[in-house]
Amino acid sequence: MASVLLVEDDPVVRAAITRALTGQGHMVHGVALAIEALREVTANNYDVVVLDLGLPDLDGGDALRMIRGVTNTPVVIATARDDEQEIIRLLNAGADDYLVKPFSSEHLGARVQAVLRRARDSKQLVVGGLEIDVDHRKATVDGRELSLTHKEFELLSYLAARSGEVVPRAEILASLWPSTRDDQTLDVHLSWLRRKLGERAAQPRYLHTVRGVGVRLVAPR
């Protein structure tokens, strides 16, 4: 059972989602405004936030950025907006998943369970001089703390958890960006990570691209 903050201004939709998630064993608290959501995530420890974008007081995209400023709680976007560039932008801004309305209660429940599993499979990862504290979302390399965005941290942790293994690009996208098939999203995040790790694609230390296959994270020799 998980505690869910549902941010949805339509009372009919909010009631339907609340019934569905409650029926799946979750505790759900619903609010209609972005400012209420920010107050809730600041004061309480929720396991996941389900966020609509069309809120009356503040655009959901702005609300997402503000939520990310105070908590790393997983956020699932649930909205009628289906523009691919908007989806990519919000995933890069820190959303953990994105559902386009209408969707079934089973589909929403499965997505919520997926982000909860990723959040709970937390541990300390060490690869050479790279250390990742998944619980506290902190990463250091050679003792230097890395300033990572939400998605950069997820990508680094995902690869470090499978250190030495070539992880297929399609698998990375399906796990971290399930609502897009745009390879450029992965390439951009890999480029940002390399810069912060102090390496280049031509001279990798940790992040090695296997052309046409995927990415492997290994300790420097």
Side-chain angles (χ1 to χ4, degrees):
M1 180 175 66
S3 59
V4 180
L5 176 63
L6 171 61
V7 190
E8 167 63 63
D9 67 309
D10 186 318
V12 175
V13 175
R14 188 169 65 248
I17 293 177
T18 298
R19 284 196 302 271
L21 292 178
T22 300
Q24 294 166 13
H26 302 302
M27 295 178 58
V28 182
H29 178 68
V31 297
L33 301 175
I35 190 64
E36 294 176 323
L38 292 169
R39 188 180 301 120
E40 283 293 325
V41 297
T42 301
N44 301 291
N45 293 319
Y46 288 94
D47 294 310
V48 64
V49 176
V50 177
L51 175 65
D52 180 36
L53 297 180
L55 302 174
D57 61 332
L58 187 66
D59 181 78
D62 294 327
L64 171 64
R65 284 187 287 275
M66 296 176 75
I67 289 172
R68 275 288 159 262
V70 297
T71 181
N72 286 312
T73 299
V75 176
V76 176
I77 301 292
T79 181
R81 300 181 193 176
D82 60 357
D83 178 73
E84 184 176 10
Q85 291 305 311
E86 174 77 351
I87 293 172
I88 293 171
R89 184 179 67 83
L90 290 168
L91 289 170
N92 288 339
D96 294 86
D97 207 342
Y98 194 112
L99 282 83
V100 177
K101 297 174 181 176
F103 48 76
S104 68
S105 59
E106 291 79 9
H107 190 180
L108 174 60
R111 292 295 185 90
V112 167
Q113 289 291 356
V115 297
L116 287 171
R117 278 196 302 272
R118 292 205 297 267
R120 288 167 179 167
D121 290 343
S122 58
K123 52 187 174 181
Q124 190 87 11
L125 303 171
V126 179
V127 183
L130 176 64
E131 298 184 15
I132 302 173
D133 183 343
V134 182
D135 284 330
H136 297 95
R137 301 189 71 85
K138 177 181 177 181
T140 61
V141 61
D142 300 328
R144 171 176 59 88
E145 185 169 355
L146 300 174
S147 177
L148 303 175
T149 67
H150 183 77
K151 278 298 180 183
E152 288 169 357
F153 185 88
E154 283 198 341
L155 175 58
L156 186 63
S157 301
Y158 188 82
L159 294 172
R162 298 172 63 174
S163 173
E165 178 182 347
V166 179
V167 186
R169 295 175 64 89
E171 186 174 325
I172 298 172
L173 284 170
S175 296
L176 301 184
W177 292 277
S179 299
T180 182
R181 297 180 181 177
D182 185 1
D183 275 4
Q184 187 177 3
T185 298
L186 175 56
D187 290 333
V188 168
H189 281 78
L190 285 171
S191 177
W192 290 339
L193 273 180
R194 286 192 174 102
R195 188 178 304 124
K196 293 180 179 181
L197 288 169
E199 62 182 62
R200 295 183 295 116
Q203 294 181 310
R205 296 180 64 233
Y206 287 94
L207 295 172
H208 297 256
T209 298
V210 180
R211 190 178 298 276
V213 183
V215 184
R216 180 176 59 201
L217 188 149
V218 295
R221 294 181 179 179

